[in-house]
């Protein structure tokens, strides 16, 4: 009788032990890994180049590019909220674009962050140039190169040239012609800059929109007029 | 019904009733769910993520079905001796093998098509445009599966399930690296190595022929030329594998 | 036994077209000549002869029993007959065709030893598959399949998955799939295995029905008592060789071992006298049994018993059983190696 009762009490014991150990491992991970392990997206920095990752993708390069893209966003977002140290965004976006050379958003976002936030416009330009070599018919990459020349490097001739190229590429929206015209006329830095930032506000992702709001506020402040 | 069709139907039934198949289907559904969860985090590239993960998942899972279930396909028959009663009927060994191949391919192809359709549906539900170009990617993947199935059936005609799975995975891996293999082999110092890598290059399946996911995801359709080429290549290479498997299987003594 | 042997021969000699079968002329249903099969041991690579020079021809309409202990080469021989294995040497013909020719198997029915079928299918689905392999039209497959399942006591289990079948049920299904195409040659490897006495009796009846239909049956067994009752001829296999072939009565005819007299109430002094003369005399229940070694002494003993007013119920010759003959044949084969 007592033996039977003892057996009944002991029966769930192995499950309880397993549950406790599992809970313990989860708790350990939750509390300590973020402190000890690499920051999110950091592992992308350890790949010498995207070419290596591409080989390992075995035909699933675009999916791997997306996975890398998601990691890259995490990398940027985490650092932006904390220490503003996203210096290696160039390498990270290089991995993404090596995996998927047609991934236009990666070139654009990478160049944007490099030029606008890290104040490294030449590297941003290099990234966009890489994109344009891989996608010569992309009006978007030509346009964004023009944007970078105008807003970050203040090279209006180069900007004008890029906007005009974009206006000749298939699938471009109407405003591209207007920007090409403005840039050609060089109708004042401010007006075109405002137009460009308003476009970013309308079409960019939320990080880019934040920057656009900031720049517009600066341009439209009374002291700027 | 022809003998090949009868064996194919039986094999398809067997594949569909296997627990592993069900597990992989559930895994596929899980993958689709994950892509939906990740899409909003992709900073505007959600549609791309859903499509990429969907197509990659469909291709990977259907390949996995072929390798996992196919590697023990013949061995199970020989081990449990279910083949004895079947081969005592007026059926050729090659017919039996072709039936096994067809049934396995159809099962994996059904999974591939279903997952691709699910991906397209998820894309529509998450607000994206319907990706008509996915049809081309699907056809190429179906042709690729013909080769993968052929490789599995070939190895299973003479070796154990574990080795079949291993050799198949190795062949598919090498097939993806075929170009690099050739480059490094022919640019090396050794003439023997160059000859070997050239030989390997021509023997291995060139699986990049069937990979148009990169194009499709960026809205570029697969051209008719490419489709015809892929179909012809799959038919020839797959046919060669089946012929070799049939030749080996014909000579086997059933213990 | 003699009657069935005669009728089998008569059928062959008559050369008549047999009911349910095509007229196949004078080709033997099965002929084996000089069959050898040598395997190599997978570890030591030493050659090992599983079949060592078997020659045999079956007569149309007979039931032939291939007897032998485990490892004698029965299953190896059968696998060669079905094209599942290649002979190292020798010629096998089924109705004049090589067994590896699929057409040779069109009128063949085969039951493997300890059969295993696709357990993801039901009995009906399995017979449907088998019927497709014979090219039977769908309706015929369904009808014939249902008929056989009913006949073999599986009617109520037709829609159950084969993985739920017991050994006996699987054996019955094995017979069903072997009979689906109304075969002219039935090859059965241990057909009684897994069956209870009722099942075994049914199988025996079924095989006799098939013989009556004109089919030829080759069955391999190591259950000799049942084979003795069923077979027209037997062949004894030992170490890959066919050591003896013949009809059962023929094999056992040579040698009445002893005579057994069943009698009532033998007086003790008579029993003593009989024992003194070297005969066994003992009570078995309420009766007496006297065993006499030879026919001459038998007459003497009978006269003695009758002189003492002993009631004699029966006088029976004791022939060796097939099992005893079989063991003796094996012993001779072993000695001659």
């Amino acid at each position: 009788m007592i033996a039977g009762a003892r057996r009944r009490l002991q029966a769930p014991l192995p499950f309880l032990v397993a549950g406790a150990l599992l809970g313990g491992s989860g708790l350990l991970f939750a509390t300590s890994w973020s402190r000890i392990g690499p920051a999110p997206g950091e592992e992308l920095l350890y790949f010498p180049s995207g070419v290596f990752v591409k080989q390992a993708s075995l035909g699933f390069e675009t999916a791997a590019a997306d996975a890398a893209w998601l990691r890259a966003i995490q990398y940027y977002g985490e650092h932006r909220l904390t220490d503003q140290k996203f210096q290696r965004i160039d390498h990270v976006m290089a991995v993404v674009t090596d995996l998927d050379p047609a991934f236009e958003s990666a070139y654009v976002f990478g160049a944007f962050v490099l030029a606008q936030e890290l104040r490294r416009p030449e590297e941003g330009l290099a990234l966009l140039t890489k994109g344009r070599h891989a996608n010569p018919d992309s009006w978007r990459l030509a346009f964004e190169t023009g944007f970078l020349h105008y807003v970050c490097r203040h090279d209006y001739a180069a900007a004008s040239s890029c906007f005009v190229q974009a206006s000749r590429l298939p699938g471009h929206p109407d405003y591209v012609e207007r920007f090409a015209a403005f840039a050609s006329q060089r109708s004042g830095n401010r007006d075109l800059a405002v137009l460009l930032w308003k476009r970013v506000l309308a079409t960019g992702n939320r990080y880019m929109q934040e920057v656009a709001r900031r720049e517009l506020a600066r341009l439209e402040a009374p002291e700027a007029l | 019904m022809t003998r090949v069709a009868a064996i194919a139907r039986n094999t398809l039934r067997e594949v569909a009733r296997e627990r592993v198949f069900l597990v992989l289907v559930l895994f596929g559904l899980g993958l689709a769910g994950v892509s939906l969860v990740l899409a909003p985090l992709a900073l505007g590239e959600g549609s791309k993520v859903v499509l990429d993960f969907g197509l990659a998942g469909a291709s990977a899972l259907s390949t996995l079905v072929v390798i996992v279930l196919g590697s023990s396909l013949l061995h199970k028959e020989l081990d449990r001796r279910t083949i004895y009663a079947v081969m005592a009927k007026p059926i050729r060994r090659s017919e039996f093998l072709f039936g096994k191949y067809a049934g396995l391919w159809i099962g994996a192809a059904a999974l591939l098509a279903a997952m691709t359709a699910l991906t397209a549906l998820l894309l529509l539900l998450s607000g994206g445009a319907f990706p008509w170009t996915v049809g081309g990617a699907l056809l190429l993947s179906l042709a690729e599966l013909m080769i993968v199935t052929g490789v599995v059936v070939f190895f299973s005609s003479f070796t154990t399930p574990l080795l079949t799975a291993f050799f198949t995975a190795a062949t598919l891996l090498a097939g993806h690296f075929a170009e690099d293999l050739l480059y490094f082999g022919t640019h090396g110092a050794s003439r023997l190595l160059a000859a070997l890598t050239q030989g390997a290059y021509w023997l291995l399946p060139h699986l990049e022929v069937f990979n148009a996911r990169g194009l499709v995801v960026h809205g570029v359709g697969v051209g008719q030329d490419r489709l015809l080429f892929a179909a012809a290549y799959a038919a020839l290479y797959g046919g060669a594998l089946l012929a070799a498997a049939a030749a080996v299987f014909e000579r086997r003594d059933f213990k | 036994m003699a009657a069935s042997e005669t009728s089998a021969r008569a059928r062959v000699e008559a050369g008549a077209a047999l009911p349910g079968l095509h007229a196949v002329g004078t080709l033997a249903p099965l002929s084996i000549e000089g069959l050898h099969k040598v395997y190599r041991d997978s570890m030591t690579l030493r050659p090992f002869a599983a079949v060592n020079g078997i020659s045999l021809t079956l007569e149309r309409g007979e039931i032939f029993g291939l007897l032998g202990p485990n490892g004698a080469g029965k299953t190896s021989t059968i696998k060669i007959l079905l094209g599942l294995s290649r002979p190292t040497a020798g010629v096998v013909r089924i109705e004049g065709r090589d067994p590896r020719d699929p057409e040779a198997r069109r009128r063949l029915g085969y039951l493997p030893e300890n059969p295993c079928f696709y357990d993801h299918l039901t009995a009906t689905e399995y017979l449907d598959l088998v019927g497709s392999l014979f090219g039977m039209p769908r309706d015929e497959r369904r009808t014939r399949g249902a008929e056989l399942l009913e006949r073999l006591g599986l009617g109520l289990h037709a829609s159950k998955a084969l993985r739920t079948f017991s050994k006996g049920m699987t054996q019955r299904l094995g017979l069903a799939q072997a009979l689906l195409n109304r075969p002219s040659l039935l090859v059965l490897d241990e057909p009684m295995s897994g069956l209870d006495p009722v099942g075994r009796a049914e199988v025996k009846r079924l095989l006799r029905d098939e013989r009556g239909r004109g089919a030829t049956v080759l069955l391999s067994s190591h259950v000799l008592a049942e084979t003795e009752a069923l077979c027209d001829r037997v062949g004894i296999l030992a170490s890959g060789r066919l050591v003896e072939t013949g009809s059962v009565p023929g094999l056992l005819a040579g040698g009445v071992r002893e005579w057994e007299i069943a009698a009532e109430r033998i007086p003790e002094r008579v029993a003593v006298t009989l024992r003194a003369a070297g005969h066994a005399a003992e009570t078995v229940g309420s009766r007496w049994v006297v065993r006499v070694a030879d026919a001459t002494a038998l007459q003497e003993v009978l006269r003695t018993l009758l002189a003492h007013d002993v009631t004699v119920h029966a006088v029976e010759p004791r022939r060796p059983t097939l099992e005893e003959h079989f063991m003796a044949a094996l012993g001779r084969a072993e000695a001659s190696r």
Side-chain angles (χ1 to χ4, degrees):
Chain A
M1 208 47 83
I2 293 173
R6 195 193 306 166
R7 262 203 302 279
R8 276 195 292 279
L9 270 169
Q10 284 178 345
L13 204 59
F15 295 105
L16 290 171
V17 169
L21 288 170
L22 191 66
S25 68
L27 197 66
L28 180 69
F29 189 83
T31 53
S32 307
W33 182 244
S34 52
R35 199 170 26 88
I36 294 165
E42 219 84 350
E43 70 277 10
L44 287 174
L45 303 178
Y46 300 124
F47 290 115
S49 78
V51 176
F52 169 80
V53 185
K54 187 167 189 154
Q55 298 291 55
S57 305
L58 301 172
F60 300 117
E61 297 89 8
T62 50
D66 286 350
W69 168 254
L70 287 165
R71 291 300 180 103
I73 291 163
Q74 259 192 303
Y75 166 76
Y76 172 76
E78 283 288 321
H79 284 291
R80 203 163 184 279
L81 289 172
T82 54
D83 57 8
Q84 303 296 313
K85 283 191 178 150
F86 38 82
Q87 269 67 17
R88 298 305 318 276
I89 195 79
D90 60 328
H91 179 80
V92 164
M93 286 309 173
V95 171
V96 176
T97 53
D98 281 339
L99 284 168
D100 187 0
F103 199 163
E104 289 182 9
S105 298
Y107 295 111
V108 171
F109 184 64
F112 183 92
V113 170
L114 280 165
Q116 198 63 31
E117 300 205 56
L118 292 173
R119 307 284 175 213
R120 284 150 55 183
E122 300 309 318
E123 288 177 47
L125 196 62
L127 186 59
L128 280 171
T129 307
K130 175 188 171 191
R132 288 183 72 190
H133 278 133
N135 306 275
D137 287 339
S138 168
W139 70 264
R140 185 181 170 199
L141 292 176
F143 183 85
E144 297 293 344
T145 310
F147 173 102
L148 193 150
H149 277 303
Y150 197 97
V151 168
C152 304
R153 298 181 71 247
H154 308 292
D155 182 344
Y156 309 117
S160 161
S161 168
C162 288
F163 287 143
V164 166
Q165 282 169 34
S167 72
R168 291 192 186 128
L169 289 170
H172 67 270
D174 298 331
Y175 59 72
V176 173
E177 259 101 5
R178 265 184 279 125
F179 284 116
F182 268 124
S184 306
Q185 287 174 340
R186 295 210 203 155
S187 60
N189 304 356
R190 201 185 140 278
D191 293 336
L192 187 52
V194 165
L195 265 173
L196 284 166
W197 283 119
K198 278 187 174 164
R199 187 198 60 84
V200 173
L201 200 62
T203 60
N205 63 48
R206 68 169 192 279
Y207 290 126
M208 292 163 84
Q209 282 170 352
E210 276 175 37
V211 175
R213 271 189 213 102
R214 191 182 67 210
E215 290 301 309
L216 277 169
R218 194 175 56 79
L219 286 167
E220 285 167 351
E223 52 273 28
L225 292 165
Chain B
M1 194 192 295
T2 67
R3 293 182 290 271
V4 173
I7 299 293
R9 194 170 87 156
N10 180 52
T11 305
L12 183 59
R13 270 197 175 126
E14 189 180 349
V15 164
R17 291 175 193 183
E18 271 279 351
R19 277 193 204 102
V20 170
F21 188 74
L22 184 66
V23 165
L24 288 173
V25 167
L26 290 174
F27 196 75
L29 291 173
L31 196 67
V34 162
S35 72
L36 267 187
V37 164
L38 288 175
L41 302 172
L43 228 53
E45 296 295 320
S47 298
K48 184 178 187 290
V49 166
V50 169
L51 196 54
D52 270 328
F53 281 16
L55 292 180
S59 176
L61 277 176
S62 55
T63 302
L64 207 59
V65 161
V66 168
I67 296 179
V68 170
L69 293 179
S71 57
S72 60
L73 207 65
L74 279 179
H75 190 264
K76 228 170 36 167
E77 294 257 12
L78 292 164
D79 194 47
R80 297 168 81 209
R81 303 189 182 177
T82 47
I83 201 175
Y84 281 25
V86 173
M87 291 312 305
K89 309 294 181 271
I91 179 171
R92 286 177 212 287
R93 293 206 185 178
S94 55
E95 287 172 329
F96 180 77
L97 206 69
F98 296 159
K100 284 279 175 199
Y101 171 87
L104 181 62
W105 181 82
I106 293 171
L111 179 64
L112 179 68
M115 277 205 65
T116 306
L118 180 65
T119 301
L121 185 69
L122 288 177
L123 200 61
L124 281 177
L125 288 175
S126 62
F130 191 86
W132 293 105
T133 51
V134 154
L138 176 62
L139 289 173
L140 288 179
S141 290
L142 287 172
E144 185 179 24
L145 263 186
M146 283 170 64
I147 291 190
V148 176
T149 311
V151 174
V152 163
V153 169
F154 170 69
F155 284 121
S156 72
S157 69
F158 60 88
T159 187
T160 65
L162 193 64
L163 284 178
T164 299
F166 176 76
F167 286 142
T168 304
T171 304
L172 299 182
L173 212 74
H176 275 289
F177 290 121
E179 298 290 333
D180 304 289
L181 202 70
L182 184 70
Y183 179 84
F184 287 118
T186 53
H187 283 78
S190 162
R191 290 251 299 268
L192 177 66
L193 189 66
L196 283 173
T197 49
Q198 280 240 309
Y201 179 76
W202 291 111
L203 273 180
L204 289 170
H206 294 250
L207 296 176
E208 283 312 303
V209 166
F210 308 101
N211 182 14
R213 284 181 283 274
L215 291 175
V216 160
V217 146
H218 291 290
V220 181
V222 180
Q224 211 175 31
D225 283 350
R226 175 106 181 245
L227 283 173
L228 285 171
F229 176 81
Y233 183 71
L236 287 168
Y237 196 91
L241 287 169
L242 275 181
V248 170
F249 196 55
E250 191 68 44
R251 275 151 190 71
R252 256 188 108 150
D253 265 0
F254 297 149
K255 290 276 178 300
Chain C
M1 209 54 73
S4 67
E5 185 192 350
T6 314
S7 69
R9 287 205 199 290
R11 281 198 285 272
V12 170
E13 281 154 18
L18 302 159
L21 296 168
H22 302 304
V24 288
T26 55
L27 287 171
L30 174 67
S31 88
I32 303 171
E33 239 179 85
L35 191 66
H36 283 79
K37 177 68 184 178
V38 178
Y39 290 111
R40 257 179 208 286
D41 181 52
S42 53
M43 296 291 268
T44 64
L45 295 181
R46 271 177 46 204
F48 152 72
V51 180
N52 208 350
I54 292 179
S55 296
L56 174 65
T57 304
L58 293 193
E59 293 170 8
R60 194 167 302 287
E62 70 169 336
I63 299 180
F64 188 96
L66 198 60
L67 313 177
N70 293 330
K74 304 191 296 297
T75 301
S76 298
T77 305
I78 287 176
K79 284 203 287 198
I80 295 171
L81 301 185
L82 297 159
L84 299 175
S85 179
R86 286 183 161 196
T88 312
V91 176
V92 176
R93 290 288 179 262
I94 297 174
E95 305 282 2
R97 290 188 139 110
D98 188 308
R100 297 199 51 116
D101 176 359
E103 282 311 300
R105 304 193 289 271
R106 189 161 290 286
R107 301 314 304 268
L108 186 82
Y110 170 54
L111 171 65
E113 183 182 2
N114 293 324
C116 198
F117 305 114
Y118 297 123
D119 60 8
H120 62 278
L121 297 179
T122 64
T124 306
E125 284 170 344
Y126 188 79
L127 292 181
D128 191 61
L129 169 66
V130 170
S132 310
L133 297 177
F134 283 113
M136 288 166 82
R138 186 203 291 205
D139 291 335
E140 193 189 334
R141 296 201 296 263
R142 303 257 161 104
T143 315
R144 178 83 180 135
E147 175 197 317
L148 279 168
L149 288 175
E150 201 58 54
R151 188 169 164 202
L152 283 152
L154 293 173
L156 293 173
H157 307 284
S159 310
K160 290 189 187 157
L162 295 184
R163 66 168 61 90
T164 64
F165 272 30
S166 67
K167 188 169 193 282
M169 287 160 76
T170 307
Q171 191 73 9
R172 288 166 194 270
L173 180 70
L175 283 162
Q177 61 85 34
L179 294 170
L180 198 76
N181 59 326
R182 296 184 178 82
S184 59
L185 174 64
L186 262 172
V187 177
L188 312 170
D189 203 344
E190 305 290 346
M192 314 293 189
S193 168
L195 297 175
D196 58 20
V198 173
R200 290 203 290 269
E202 281 169 14
V203 169
K204 277 188 270 190
R205 186 164 40 88
L206 194 141
L207 293 180
R208 288 191 185 107
D209 287 347
E210 288 299 308
R211 179 179 55 193
R213 199 177 56 81
T216 309
V217 179
L218 170 70
L219 66 90
S220 106
S221 182
H222 51 258
V223 180
L224 298 173
E226 313 235 326
T227 322
E228 186 174 349
L230 193 54
C231 297
D232 300 313
R233 283 199 303 153
V234 298
I236 298 177
L237 218 56
S239 305
R241 283 194 168 82
L242 203 56
V243 295
E244 227 176 327
T245 352
S247 66
V248 175
L251 288 177
L252 303 181
V256 173
R257 269 208 349 232
E258 60 187 13
W259 295 87
E260 200 175 271
I261 305 166
E264 193 140 338
R265 279 185 290 115
I266 297 178
E268 192 53 44
R269 60 176 199 286
V270 174
V272 167
T273 313
L274 291 173
R275 287 189 199 114
H279 311 302
E282 60 197 2
T283 51
V284 178
S286 57
R287 300 262 164 110
W288 277 84
V289 171
V290 181
R291 292 195 184 85
V292 181
D294 64 81
T296 323
L298 177 68
Q299 303 304 321
E300 192 57 51
V301 167
L302 282 171
R303 274 196 287 272
T304 308
L305 291 174
L306 292 170
H308 285 87
D309 288 326
V310 172
T311 312
V312 172
H313 290 291
V315 180
E316 280 184 33
R318 302 296 292 159
R319 291 198 162 83
T321 60
L322 182 61
E323 189 164 342
E324 289 162 347
H325 182 88
F326 173 78
M327 296 306 293
L330 285 185
R332 284 194 299 275
E334 192 60 43
S336 69
R337 275 217 297 171

